[in-house]
Amino acid sequence: MEIKDNTFARQFETTIEEELISIEYSFQEKKIFLTKINTPETFTNEAFIDAFLKAIMEDAEERKLKVVPILPRIVVFFKKNPIYKELLPPGIRL
C-alpha cells in the first residue's frame, strides 16, 4: 500500500480500486490527532482501513509522535491492536 502524506490538505491518502481513501489529521506539539476517515459511500473494506491505520502508526512511530484517536473507529483499532497502545499519549485510556 502506498501512502501519501498530503501536508497541504492535512491528510494521509491512499487508493484502492482507483478510489481515494484518506484519514485527516492535525498536529499539536508532538501529537497527531486522527480526526476523520474519508471513504467512498459504498466502501466497506474494514481490513483495508486497518492496514491503512497500521501504516500510519508505523509512520508515527518513526517520527516519534504520539497518536490521539478522536474517532470511535480508531479507538476500536487500538483495542484490536494493543501493540500500538504505546503510541497513545500519557493519560489516554481506552
Side-chain angles (χ1 to χ4, degrees):
M1 171 184 320
E2 184 179 328
I3 296 176
K4 177 184 175 194
D5 183 358
N6 183 337
T7 56
F8 181 75
R10 290 183 304 205
Q11 64 186 18
F12 295 103
E13 301 172 342
T14 192
T15 56
I16 183 171
E17 299 172 6
E18 298 183 19
E19 296 281 351
L20 179 68
I21 311 292
S22 65
I23 298 179
E24 296 178 16
Y25 63 79
S26 64
F27 281 109
Q28 182 180 356
E29 298 170 9
K30 294 287 283 175
K31 297 181 195 110
I32 185 168
F33 292 75
L34 301 177
T35 58
K36 187 174 181 185
I37 299 173
N38 300 306
T39 61
E41 287 183 26
T42 58
F43 186 82
T44 59
N45 189 339
E46 291 298 315
F48 186 84
I49 297 296
D50 280 349
F52 191 10
L53 286 168
K54 285 178 183 178
I56 291 170
M57 296 305 141
E58 291 169 10
D59 181 65
E61 199 168 38
E62 287 175 16
R63 293 165 37 171
K64 298 185 179 1
L65 298 172
K66 294 294 183 181
V67 178
V68 181
I70 301 296
L71 298 173
R73 171 66 180 86
I74 298 173
V75 170
V76 168
F77 170 83
F78 272 100
K79 288 181 178 180
K80 288 187 343 189
N81 299 280
I83 190 170
Y84 297 112
K85 285 191 177 182
E86 77 238 12
L87 294 175
L88 295 170
I92 292 189
R93 306 224 188 280
L94 305 178

